Amino acid sequence: PIIVYWEPGYSETNRMANPDFGVPRESFSYVMPATTIDAFCMEHQIETNLIAKIDVEGSERRVLHGMRETLKSKMISYIFEYGPHNYSQESGQGLDFLQEVSRTHQLILVGWLEGTGIGSSQQCLQISPEQLPKFAQYVSDHWGVWVDLLALPKNLPGMDEILKKTDLLRLD
C-alpha cells in the first residue's frame, strides 16, 4: 500500500507521500492499494512499449525500481518532474538519480527552467552526461525551480533523428 495525502487548499502538495518528508499534521491521509508497473504489465499481459508520466514528488526512484523488469524488456519513455529540493539527502535522488537514468535514457529538458529564462515553452533541450552535474547544481541552487524531463531510451528507433532536432542545453 501507499499513503496518499491531501492538504485542503494546496493542490500542489497532494501526492503519494514520500516517507522522507513525513506527512503534515493538518493533512488528510489515506492508505491506498498500490502495484508496480512490472506487476501491472504482467497481470494485464502488456507486451507493447510504454510511455509513462511520473509525478510522485521525490519517489521517482521507487517507481523506477518497481518497473525495472519492464525497463529491461520494453522500450519505456517517461516524463518526470525534477527538482532536487523535493529530494532529501537520504533518498539519494539528486545528481546520482539523473546519472542512473542517463545510463539507459537520453534526458531532454521539456520547456524551460522556471524563472531562469533558459529554454522556452516551445523548446526541448538535450542534457549531455557532461552537463548533468552542472544542471543538477543549477536547479538545486535555485530553490523552487523544478523542470519536466523526458527520458527516451537510447536504443529507441529514430533516436539519432530526434537528437538532430533538439538543441543541447548549455549552462555557462
Side-chain angles (χ1 to χ4, degrees), residues 75-144:
M75 279 192 253
I76 309 252
S77 299
Y78 52 94
I79 297 173
F80 64 98
E81 191 175 274
Y82 178 74
H85 55 279
N86 285 344
Y87 307 124
S88 69
Q89 291 294 358
E90 294 80 30
S91 69
Q93 292 186 293
L95 174 59
D96 68 319
F97 176 68
L98 293 178
Q99 289 171 327
E100 180 183 329
V101 170
S102 71
R103 282 195 272 284
T104 57
H105 287 71
Q106 171 64 52
L107 290 174
I108 297 176
L109 171 66
V110 179
W112 60 89
L113 287 173
E114 188 174 308
T116 66
I118 296 173
S120 75
S121 62
Q122 304 295 314
Q123 193 171 27
C124 293
L125 299 170
Q126 299 172 43
I127 304 172
S128 69
E130 299 78 31
Q131 283 282 323
L132 281 176
K134 201 169 197 177
F135 172 77
Q137 187 63 53
Y138 186 88
V139 175
S140 182
D141 288 347
H142 294 81
W143 182 260

Side-chain angles (χ1 to χ4, degrees), residues 130-166:
E130 299 78 31
Q131 283 282 323
L132 281 176
K134 201 169 197 177
F135 172 77
Q137 187 63 53
Y138 186 88
V139 175
S140 182
D141 288 347
H142 294 81
W143 182 260
V145 168
W146 58 268
V147 297
D148 282 326
L149 295 177
L150 172 61
L152 294 174
K154 289 183 176 178
N155 61 347
L156 184 70
M159 181 57 111
D160 291 340
E161 289 303 310
I162 292 169
L163 296 179
K164 286 178 190 175
K165 295 177 181 182
T166 59

Side-chain angles (χ1 to χ4, degrees), residues 23-28:
V23 178
R25 280 175 268 194
E26 68 276 3
S27 67
F28 298 92

Side-chain angles (χ1 to χ4, degrees), residues 21-47:
F21 293 125
V23 178
R25 280 175 268 194
E26 68 276 3
S27 67
F28 298 92
S29 300
Y30 304 94
V31 176
M32 304 288 293
T35 189
T36 65
I37 290 175
D38 285 343
F40 184 86
C41 287
M42 187 178 298
E43 179 182 339
H44 296 281
Q45 301 177 343
I46 296 173
E47 299 297 328

Side-chain angles (χ1 to χ4, degrees), residues 3-18 21-30 57:
I3 299 171
V4 176
Y5 75 88
W6 174 66
E7 292 182 59
Y10 297 97
S11 64
E12 67 275 3
T13 59
N14 299 337
R15 62 181 177 265
M16 181 172 75
N18 182 339
F21 293 125
V23 178
R25 280 175 268 194
E26 68 276 3
S27 67
F28 298 92
S29 300
Y30 304 94
E57 303 297 327

